[in-house]
Amino acid sequence: MPATSDIDAQAAHEVSRTQEAILAAYAELIEELGTDDVSFRLIARRAGVGERTVFRNYATRVDLLLATAAWIESRIFPRQDSASIFDMPLAIRAAMESYDHRPELAHVVAETTMRGISGAAPSPTRARLEQMVDAEIPSLEDAERTAIVAGLAHLDSAATWVTFRREFGMSRRDIADAAAWAAEAVLDPVRSRVG
């Protein structure tokens, strides 16, 4: 039976066919036009629904943006489950590379998260990281556990990709290398304590 947090994460990403069409249309339009130039009318036309249908599903632009960011994260940038917490540097490397292939969408996910828009869902990665740490390194004290989970969850995010790209002007390869290296550095102090 799946854990409660897994069920909650699945429910957060389930959308109706109509919502799927709306969110996919908005994501396509974001890549073509950016977020500012996309109207509900244009989204409706691209999704093949009426404009009122878009409003019924997403009453405000913020509601639509939050839903689209969550949809993008789950559909465009899905994560492969890692078998071990010590596989996370490779998973983070892969995530950074995927963000680089769809930068406009990575920016939407990152901006939504970094702005702390009310209603943004917590990272589904966090629950999985906590489970892996608890299973593989049960001897960790709470402060160490929190530091490892927080460090890896932060590194495994579109926000990290955007920061490396914008602030440091790093290339795709350099971003992937830096993020994987940082994840290794987070894990190095506890490698010897694997249960």
Side-chain angles (χ1 to χ4, degrees):
M1 183 169 165
T4 304
S5 61
D6 292 340
I7 294 168
D8 292 343
Q10 286 175 341
H13 294 297
E14 290 181 17
V15 295
S16 71
R17 285 185 192 188
T18 300
Q19 291 169 327
E20 182 86 23
I22 292 166
L23 299 174
Y26 189 33
E28 288 173 11
L29 290 164
I30 288 169
E31 287 189 295
E32 292 172 23
L33 306 172
T35 55
D36 294 338
D37 295 328
V38 179
S39 68
F40 276 42
R41 178 175 294 165
L42 194 55
I43 295 166
R45 191 173 303 141
R46 176 70 59 98
V49 299
E51 192 172 351
R52 291 183 72 175
T53 301
V54 176
F55 280 109
R56 268 196 304 276
N57 284 277
Y58 306 103
T60 68
R61 186 165 288 281
V62 171
D63 293 337
L64 178 60
L65 186 62
L66 287 171
T68 303
W71 183 87
I72 291 168
E73 191 75 52
S74 68
R75 301 293 199 287
I76 307 294
F77 303 124
R79 298 293 195 284
Q80 296 294 323
D81 279 343
S82 296
S84 167
I85 193 73
F86 297 102
D87 293 338
M88 284 305 298
L90 293 174
I92 290 170
R93 170 183 285 285
M96 295 301 118
E97 289 173 347
S98 71
Y99 292 137
D100 213 70
H101 292 291
R102 308 284 293 270
E104 294 83 6
L105 299 182
H107 281 277
V108 168
V109 172
E111 294 293 332
T112 303
T113 303
M114 290 188 307
R115 287 183 185 171
I117 294 176
S118 179
S123 168
T125 306
R126 177 182 174 181
R128 179 71 179 128
L129 289 170
E130 288 171 343
Q131 291 170 349
M132 287 191 294
V133 167
D134 290 346
E136 294 180 65
I137 320 167
S139 63
L140 288 180
E141 294 187 22
D142 287 344
E144 287 178 301
R145 177 184 181 271
T146 300
I148 289 169
V149 170
L152 293 175
H154 177 72
L155 288 168
D156 189 18
S157 70
T160 296
W161 178 84
V162 168
T163 299
F164 287 175
R165 173 66 78 199
R166 277 188 192 165
E167 301 296 321
F168 297 101
M170 296 170 77
S171 70
R172 173 176 42 149
R173 183 184 178 127
D174 290 343
I175 291 170
D177 287 346
W181 176 83
E184 291 287 353
V186 168
L187 293 168
D188 278 346
V190 297
R191 284 186 191 283
S192 64
R193 294 193 267 167
V194 174

